[in-house]
Amino acid sequence: MSEIASKGQLRLAYLRWAIVTVPFILLLGFASGRLAPSGSENPWFVRLTKPEIMPPDWAFPVAWTIIYVLLGLALAMVINARRAPGRGLALTVFAVQLAINLAWSPVFFGMHQVTTALIMIVALIVLVLLTFVLFWRVRKGAALLLLPYLGWLCFAGVLNYEIDRLNPDAASLVLGRGADQMQIQ
């Protein structure tokens, strides 16, 4: 069959992917965040000196929910772009940046490794910029959906830097390795 799919068929195929990718990424993000308590639920984090620009606790789950929905939609667009040049590389780089994203919360909140978490955010910014370029070549709309994520990562990088600067002894605020707050169930 050499028929070309109609716009309606293409939209339906995209929606089918989005029904899978959006909940999947939301679930991964939620699971990552549950590995270690965050915000005011984390005694170690409560004891840290915070920068003045620190948003209230409620802002983080709201922002990340929106970002993860946008990531799921962007991913669905690129997955749905069958035979697009560069699609495989775009999906690979997306997966790598998502893995680092998901590892950040356990590293920062669970292991109390503020400097390592900052390095991870810098790596994320670079990888998301690369993902933006690769997605742009496949589907411009998918790339544009990454912009709020990139903006939030830059803000998170500033917060992480300031926390690192204000708390040079952050890892020692809780005594001993037994105090790591990772919860593996």
Side-chain angles (χ1 to χ4, degrees), residues 87-109:
R87 176 179 170 260
L89 180 59
L91 292 172
T92 300
V93 174
F94 180 89
V96 170
Q97 70 77 29
L98 184 61
I100 294 171
N101 171 306
L102 297 172
W104 185 89
S105 283
V107 168
F108 183 87
F109 290 108

Side-chain angles (χ1 to χ4, degrees), residues 25-179:
I25 289 183
L26 280 167
L27 178 65
L28 289 175
F30 176 77
S32 169
R34 298 308 307 159
L35 283 175
S38 60
S40 60
E41 296 177 9
N42 186 309
W44 168 80
F45 184 72
V46 169
R47 294 191 341 201
L48 293 175
T49 302
K50 317 292 185 310
E52 290 184 22
I53 60 170
M54 186 68 139
D57 277 353
W58 63 263
F60 292 92
V62 170
W64 280 111
T65 299
I66 292 167
I67 288 166
Y68 285 140
V69 167
L70 294 175
L71 288 178
L73 294 172
L75 179 60
M77 282 184 187
V78 174
I79 289 173
N80 195 47
R82 295 187 197 114
R83 297 186 198 101
R87 176 179 170 260
L89 180 59
L91 292 172
T92 300
V93 174
F94 180 89
V96 170
Q97 70 77 29
L98 184 61
I100 294 171
N101 171 306
L102 297 172
W104 185 89
S105 283
V107 168
F108 183 87
F109 290 108
M111 296 183 215
H112 314 146
Q113 298 300 311
V114 179
T115 304
T116 302
L118 179 58
I119 293 166
M120 292 170 74
I121 287 180
V122 172
L124 268 172
I125 291 168
V126 170
L127 286 168
V128 172
L129 282 169
L130 180 57
T131 303
F132 178 88
V133 169
L134 296 171
F135 274 25
W136 185 267
R137 293 176 183 168
V138 176
R139 289 284 185 267
K140 289 176 178 59
L144 294 174
L145 289 174
L146 299 178
L147 291 177
Y149 179 35
L150 188 57
W152 186 256
L153 284 174
C154 290
F155 179 65
V158 170
L159 288 177
N160 198 151
Y161 171 79
E162 285 298 310
I163 289 171
D164 196 27
R165 185 181 66 78
L166 294 169
N167 301 277
D169 60 342
S172 65
L173 286 178
V174 177
L175 301 174
R177 292 278 305 152

